[in-house]
Amino acid sequence: MLTALLVGLGVSAGLPLGALPEMLLPLAFAATLTAFIFSLFLYVKALLAPASALAPGGNSGNPIYDFFLGRELNPRICFFDFKYFCELRPGLIGWVLINLALLVQEAELRGSPSLAMWLVNGFQLLYVGDALWHEEAVLTTMDIIHDGFGFMLAFGDLAWVPFTYSLQAQFLLYHPQALGLPMASVICLINATGYYIFRGANSQKNTFRKNPSDPRVADLETIATATGRQLLVSGWWGMVRHPNYLGDLIMALAWSLPCGVSHLLPYFYLLYFTALLVHREARDERQCQQKYGLAWHEYCRRVPYRIVPYIY
């Protein structure tokens, strides 16, 4: 809300928001350089951190590897947690700001934004708004609880997310697509389906983690583990092991479809995110096997599909 207020005040004062797309390349370079310098600071800071503050994966003894993965788990100055702050806010807010600037420039070039541009902006604004509204959910992600904060996450949060996740809107500015209402309606339905699965699965998981006795999840079937935790084997989490990933991928498809099928570039996000989630799922699988042992084997027997039912 603060960013929206500042941008609104800037535009009313004559800030040429439509000129931002012309500066994306130098801005991406500056963001990458900032992430590199920031990562150097984090690495040096981690040299002074106690052993209890270090991440399990970023302390191999190889300086390059540790710089990349991050030595310290949650680097802080006083109460300010760098990783928690950077995990969502700069990248996601920057992403929708770039999208908005592209929409404004298209309006300046062609008189009004295209329907395809409106859809991409709307879909991705919904996704970012949802992530920020449910920000506390990141506290249970592997990025927060397992990975150190090094160049990999700093670059991803500050540079990769805003400048590559906005590729669909960037493509539409230079390659306008004629999109009729029937096709637009189908694409909206695809996005709504993905969002319904994504939000339903994440809300169910977060509710269960907070309070397994909550009436919304109290009747779900579970498997007891040696750690005292329970594994959900019904509801969304009885359909596939990662239903939130399935919803994510369906939405990624919906974001690309308004760009047509004449070029592969708008589908980069879908292809990249598929590879990312498959890799993340494999990493989750290894850690859960170590953590839950026989209970995890039973869970995998009960829920055989990882992301896509009957396919994978």
Side-chain angles (χ1 to χ4, degrees), residues 42-102:
L42 294 172
Y43 184 83
V44 172
K45 181 182 179 301
L47 297 176
L48 307 175
S52 59
L54 300 181
N59 291 281
S60 66
N62 183 325
I64 297 176
Y65 182 83
D66 294 344
F67 168 80
F68 181 77
L69 283 187
R71 296 191 73 237
E72 196 171 356
L73 186 61
N74 289 97
R76 295 183 177 92
I77 290 182
C78 297
F79 63 88
F80 188 81
D81 186 319
F82 288 110
K83 186 167 70 169
Y84 180 67
F85 176 81
C86 291
E87 182 72 10
L88 293 183
R89 299 183 193 187
L92 296 192
I93 294 173
W95 174 15
V96 295
L97 180 59
I98 290 172
N99 276 357
L100 176 62
L102 291 159

Side-chain angles (χ1 to χ4, degrees), residues 104-126:
V104 169
Q105 189 177 41
E106 186 179 52
E108 292 173 353
L109 289 174
R110 303 188 180 98
S112 65
S114 65
L115 178 56
M117 182 68 86
W118 278 116
L119 288 185
V120 167
N121 268 259
F123 293 161
Q124 295 181 348
L125 179 61
L126 171 66

